[in-house]
């Protein structure tokens, strides 16, 4: 296969699988590889007409569709990179992203492909060329860009191909949005291997009662999503009423899968491979764990995140920078190697505290904590033990609580705010304490409405309390411990 | 069950689970809940299962859209129609 170019194997597929389906749209419309090839060249021609050059970035703010997939491919074919954003996100957030990475062109839904593909030629590959930038929540309130090169992305896709062993004609779910890193597997693994991408309709994507039927109707062979969607399907989807004849593999990533729900999924689909994939956007997937056919009845804690994928190195280090190899010590999870980013967009690696040089090698500190665990009768595995900072995950999305506070503080009647997270019945719940400006009154409904407009939907707090002042520690910092206990 | 009882239970769920801390009089029965972002998709899923278990009705997947779940009024009408059928 290829560990150097994300796009070269796709161009091979155009020739080898011309008449096979490549993408099925939300409405059931199918594009073959030949059609996708032509459409992607027409988009490439449009981008060239608009003045896009090799190494330029193109911003994508449009719903998932055959055309959007073709446009992403078109961007790579002419040597540009793509920057996908959530088209339903607040405009100021997307505006910041496109300005931050200085896109040469914005590709919205209204940007049509050129009438003719003309004679566009595929740009020679360069493994160090940028392939895409994915923006994640930033603790200062502004999203930060994670740039990934062809080498970074291709090394991950190549690992997926070796591990998932897809067959020609397989159908991969596209549940995640394209700005979310789970989509990298959804898009490029089938396109490399003659499979097809099944785009989930937006109204079905969040509906656990309709998703199981969608999986069966589309003949999906490989499902990939965050655990919370799978847990909802287990709870509300009546899986026992359906026959998942074609489904061979379910991958999940992005957050911890609560064990009781994973156990039920295992029991309902005993023949399906279940893979727990782990890794922040900065590293792609860097560890994995295959859930056994029977989950130990005595086990109560979540499944391990596993061990390093063979295209990278993952290890635990203590705060002094010493490698931790013994069982039972909680330590930092670090990753290095081909899939790991070189640094955040617009920020020199030496000014990025999460990039560490240890014994001459550059490691990325994920901010996650882990511990080696000796699983009975098996190899040692890393178990996830939480975060060192104020980032939380909801539906697999990263939420920097500082970004939520910055969003609340934009309300004209809010003087200051403090945000923390907790759990109710296994659900992550975000709490907010807000202090109104002098003379202003704040209610829950106006605050929620403000958050719906100012923040991404999954960042909106669930619980609000209005306070006269935030509790402070002796050094004047917000006292989150007191807020949690309140 | 009377219409008023349905309304009381629907409002109680929204006030307790979705908008805790808000004064009941601020939740208007014709206030948009879904299109405004006050209730997200997860909130809708939880409300659907609450309505099913509270009122003994069965709600189909395609019935949980904005047409039935946009306001307290429309939810109450939907539940009443389900119970009558």
């Amino acid at each position: 296969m290829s560990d150097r170019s994300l796009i070269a194997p796709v161009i091979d597929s155009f020739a080898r699988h011309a008449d096979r389906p490549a993408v099925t749209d939300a409405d059931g419309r199918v594009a073959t590889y030949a059609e996708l090839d032509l459409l992607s060249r027409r988009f490439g021609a449009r981008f060239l007409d608009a003045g896009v050059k090799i190494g330029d970035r193109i911003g994508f703010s449009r719903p998932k569709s055959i055309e959007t997939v073709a446009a992403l491919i078109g961007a790579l074919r002419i040597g540009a990179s793509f920057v996908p954003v959530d088209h339903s996100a607040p405009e100021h957030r997307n505006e910041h992203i496109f300005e931050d990475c200085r896109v040469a062109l914005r590709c919205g839904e209204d940007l049509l492909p050129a009438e003719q593909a003309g004679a566009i030629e595929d740009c020679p590959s360069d493994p160090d060329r940028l392939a895409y930038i994915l923006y994640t929540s930033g603790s200062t309130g502004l999203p930060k860009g994670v740039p990934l090169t062809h080498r970074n992305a291709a090394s991950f896709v190549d690992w997926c191909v070796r591990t998932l062993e897809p067959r020609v004609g397989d159908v991969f779910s596209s549940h995640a949005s394209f700005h979310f890193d789970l989509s990298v597997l959804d898009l490029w693994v089938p396109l490399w291997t003659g499979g097809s991408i099944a785009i989930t309709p937006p109204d079905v994507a969040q509906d656990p009662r309709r998703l199981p039927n969608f999986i069966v109707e589309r003949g999906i062979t490989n499902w990939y999503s965050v655990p919370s969607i799978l847990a909802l399907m287990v709870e509300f989807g009546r899986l026992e009423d359906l026959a998942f004849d074609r489904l061979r593999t379910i991958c999940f990533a992005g957050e911890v899968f609560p064990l009781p729900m994973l156990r039920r999924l295992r029991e309902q689909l005993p023949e399906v491979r279940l893979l727990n994939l782990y890794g922040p956007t900065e590293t792609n997937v860097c560890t994995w764990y295959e859930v056994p056919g029977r989950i130990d009845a005595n086990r109560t804690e979540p499944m391990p995140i596993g061990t390093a994928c063979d295209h990278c190195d993952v290890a635990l280090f203590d705060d002094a920078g010493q490698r931790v190899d013994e069982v039972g010590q909680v330590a930092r999870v670090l990753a290095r190697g081909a899939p790991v980013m070189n640094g955040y967009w617009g920020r020199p690696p030496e000014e990025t505290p999460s990039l560490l040089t240890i014994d001459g090698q550059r490691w990325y500190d994920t901010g996650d904590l882990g511990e080696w665990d000796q699983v009975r009768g098996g190899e040692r595995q890393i178990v996830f033990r939480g975060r060192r900072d104020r980032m939380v995950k909801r539906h697999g999305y990263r939420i920097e609580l500082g970004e939520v506070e910055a969003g609340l503080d934009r309300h004209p009647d809010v003087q200051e705010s403090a945000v923390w997270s907790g759990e109710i019945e296994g659900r992550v719940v975000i709490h907010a304490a807000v202090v109104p400006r002098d003379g202003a009154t704040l209610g829950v409904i106006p605050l929620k409405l403000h958050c719906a407009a100012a923040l991404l939907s999954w960042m909106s707090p669930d619980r609000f309390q209005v306070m006269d002042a935030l509790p402070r520690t002796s050094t004047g910092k917000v006292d989150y411990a007191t807020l949690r206990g309140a | 069950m009377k219409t008023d009882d349905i309304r009381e239970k629907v409002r109680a769920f929204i006030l307790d689970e979705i908008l805790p801390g808000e004064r009941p009089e601020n939740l208007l029965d014709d206030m948009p809940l879904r299109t405004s972002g006050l209730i997200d998709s997860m909130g809708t899923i939880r409300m659907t299962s609450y309505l099913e278990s509270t009122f003994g009705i069965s709600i189909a997947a395609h019935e949980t859209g904005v047409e039935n779940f946009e306001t307290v009024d429309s939810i109450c009408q939907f539940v009443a129609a389900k119970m009558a059928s």
Side-chain angles (χ1 to χ4, degrees):
Chain A
M1 274 316 211
S2 158
D3 58 359
R4 298 165 64 81
S5 168
L6 187 56
I7 189 68
V10 181
I11 293 165
D12 287 346
S13 289
F14 288 146
R16 291 171 58 188
H17 307 292
D19 298 328
R20 291 191 173 275
V23 189
T24 306
D25 220 320
D27 60 6
R29 196 163 49 105
V30 176
T32 63
Y33 273 90
E35 288 162 345
L36 192 65
D37 178 19
L38 178 62
L39 192 56
S40 67
R41 282 187 288 123
R42 287 174 54 203
F43 269 106
R46 163 67 71 209
F47 300 152
L48 290 174
D49 286 347
V52 176
K53 295 179 190 63
I54 294 177
D56 279 353
R57 286 138 329 264
I58 302 175
F60 284 83
S61 176
R62 47 189 292 159
K64 293 202 283 190
S65 65
I66 289 170
E67 286 70 23
T68 303
V69 174
L72 299 179
I73 296 170
L76 296 185
R77 294 185 85 161
I78 62 161
S81 54
F82 58 84
V83 186
V85 297
D86 180 352
H87 66 96
S88 62
E91 204 172 314
H92 68 85
R93 194 176 195 272
N94 291 345
E95 196 62 30
H96 163 78
I97 290 171
F98 289 158
E99 280 174 16
D100 184 57
C101 66
R102 300 187 305 278
V103 294
L105 179 70
R106 296 176 190 211
C107 181
E109 212 174 350
D110 53 347
L111 192 100
L112 301 175
E115 290 292 327
Q116 302 289 328
I120 82 153
E121 280 180 34
D122 287 304
C123 182
S125 69
D126 173 357
D128 294 318
R129 186 186 298 138
L130 186 63
Y132 50 85
I133 308 177
L134 301 179
Y135 275 77
T136 72
S137 183
S139 56
T140 58
L142 292 174
K144 59 186 175 186
V146 179
L148 292 158
T149 63
H150 278 264
R151 189 198 310 276
N152 294 148
S155 104
F156 165 60
V157 176
D158 186 57
W159 174 82
C160 292
V161 170
R162 284 182 286 114
T163 307
L164 301 177
E165 299 177 322
R167 305 169 193 162
V168 170
D170 270 0
V171 182
F172 281 71
S173 63
S174 167
H175 181 265
S177 309
F178 290 167
H179 60 92
F180 192 21
D181 63 350
L182 271 69
S183 67
V184 177
L185 188 159
D186 302 339
L187 291 174
W188 305 100
V189 175
L191 290 174
W192 277 29
T193 54
S196 70
I197 301 161
I199 293 174
T200 317
D203 53 333
V204 176
Q206 299 306 321
D207 191 334
R209 297 170 173 234
R210 292 161 76 184
L211 276 172
N213 250 324
F214 173 79
I215 294 172
V216 172
E217 278 169 15
R218 287 282 194 270
I220 286 172
T221 56
N222 294 72
W223 175 267
Y224 188 23
S225 73
V226 293
S228 49
I229 282 293
L230 286 162
L232 286 167
M233 278 198 260
V234 168
E235 198 172 353
F236 301 108
R238 297 169 190 153
L239 299 183
E240 61 283 2
D241 294 350
L242 294 167
F244 295 90
D245 296 334
R246 294 208 65 198
L247 188 63
R248 291 204 316 276
T249 308
I250 293 176
C251 297
F252 53 89
E255 63 194 349
V256 174
F257 202 144
L259 191 69
M261 287 302 178
L262 179 58
R263 204 189 283 283
R264 283 174 62 183
L265 182 68
R266 176 76 291 172
E267 286 163 4
Q268 283 172 334
L269 300 172
E271 307 295 326
V272 174
R273 283 182 85 187
L274 299 178
L275 305 185
N276 184 15
L277 308 184
Y278 161 85
T281 306
E282 288 86 341
T283 70
N284 274 304
V285 169
C286 60
T287 76
W288 71 299
Y289 178 78
E290 179 147 7
V291 177
R294 280 180 59 88
I295 298 175
D296 188 343
N298 296 319
R299 190 180 180 92
T300 52
E301 67 172 41
M303 284 290 158
I305 57 173
T307 51
C309 305
D310 64 9
H311 65 309
C312 61
D313 194 4
V314 175
L316 303 184
F317 286 86
D318 65 17
D319 289 344
Q322 294 296 312
R323 206 167 162 132
V324 173
D325 289 315
E326 57 269 30
V327 168
Q329 184 182 338
V330 176
R332 302 173 179 215
V333 181
L334 273 60
R336 62 173 288 277
V340 180
M341 69 157 191
N342 296 316
Y344 292 104
W345 179 259
R347 214 180 298 176
E350 52 274 15
E351 290 173 26
T352 303
S354 54
L355 287 171
L356 310 170
T357 302
I358 302 172
D359 294 336
Q361 289 176 323
R362 175 170 298 162
W363 292 81
Y364 172 73
D365 184 343
T366 62
D368 288 333
L369 296 171
E371 178 184 335
W372 284 107
D373 184 26
Q374 186 72 54
V375 179
R376 196 147 46 94
E379 283 177 38
R380 291 187 325 156
Q381 309 284 346
I382 299 173
V383 181
F384 176 73
R385 290 288 182 232
R387 290 287 300 176
R388 284 195 298 116
D389 58 14
R390 297 185 64 221
M391 192 191 86
V392 296
K393 288 279 192 94
R394 184 148 67 167
H395 317 319
Y397 289 108
R398 283 157 66 157
I399 304 171
E400 290 285 1
L401 297 175
E403 182 167 359
V404 182
E405 288 168 353
L408 276 169
D409 292 348
R410 283 199 291 272
H411 189 293
D413 290 337
V414 171
Q415 184 176 316
E416 59 175 348
S417 63
V419 172
W420 67 100
S421 72
E423 229 184 78
I424 297 178
E425 293 163 6
R427 282 186 296 125
V428 172
V429 172
I430 298 177
H431 299 261
V434 291
V435 177
R437 286 191 193 283
D438 285 343
T441 50
L442 285 168
V444 174
I445 290 173
L447 284 168
K448 276 228 163 208
L449 291 173
H450 166 76
C451 289
L455 293 166
L456 296 170
S457 58
W458 58 86
M459 292 186 179
S460 196
D462 307 281
R463 298 282 185 274
F464 290 93
Q465 55 193 93
V466 178
M467 305 179 101
D468 294 334
L470 297 177
R472 301 272 172 188
T473 64
S474 57
T475 56
K477 290 183 177 163
V478 173
D479 185 354
Y480 288 99
T482 299
L483 285 168
R484 275 175 198 285
Chain B
M1 194 178 291
K2 287 205 198 99
T3 321
D4 286 352
D5 297 336
I6 298 175
R7 188 169 302 270
E8 193 182 319
K9 290 196 161 67
V10 167
R11 288 180 56 90
F13 176 84
I14 295 171
L15 286 164
D16 293 347
E17 297 292 325
I18 312 284
L19 305 169
E22 185 57 275
R23 298 218 302 270
E25 62 268 31
N26 290 339
L27 172 64
L28 308 179
D29 289 351
D30 60 353
M31 188 178 264
L33 300 172
R34 288 284 291 281
T35 53
S36 64
L38 282 178
I39 297 186
D40 63 8
S41 55
M42 293 298 156
T44 307
I45 291 163
R46 280 161 50 217
M47 179 146 66
T48 304
S49 72
Y50 167 82
L51 296 176
E52 286 187 329
S53 59
T54 306
F55 300 110
I57 55 177
S58 176
I59 300 173
H62 66 270
E63 293 173 324
T64 59
V66 171
E67 60 286 0
N68 295 326
F69 281 70
E70 178 65 344
T71 62
V72 171
D73 283 335
S74 69
I75 296 165
C76 292
Q77 275 171 25
F78 172 70
V79 170
K82 274 274 167 189
M83 292 177 76
S85 68

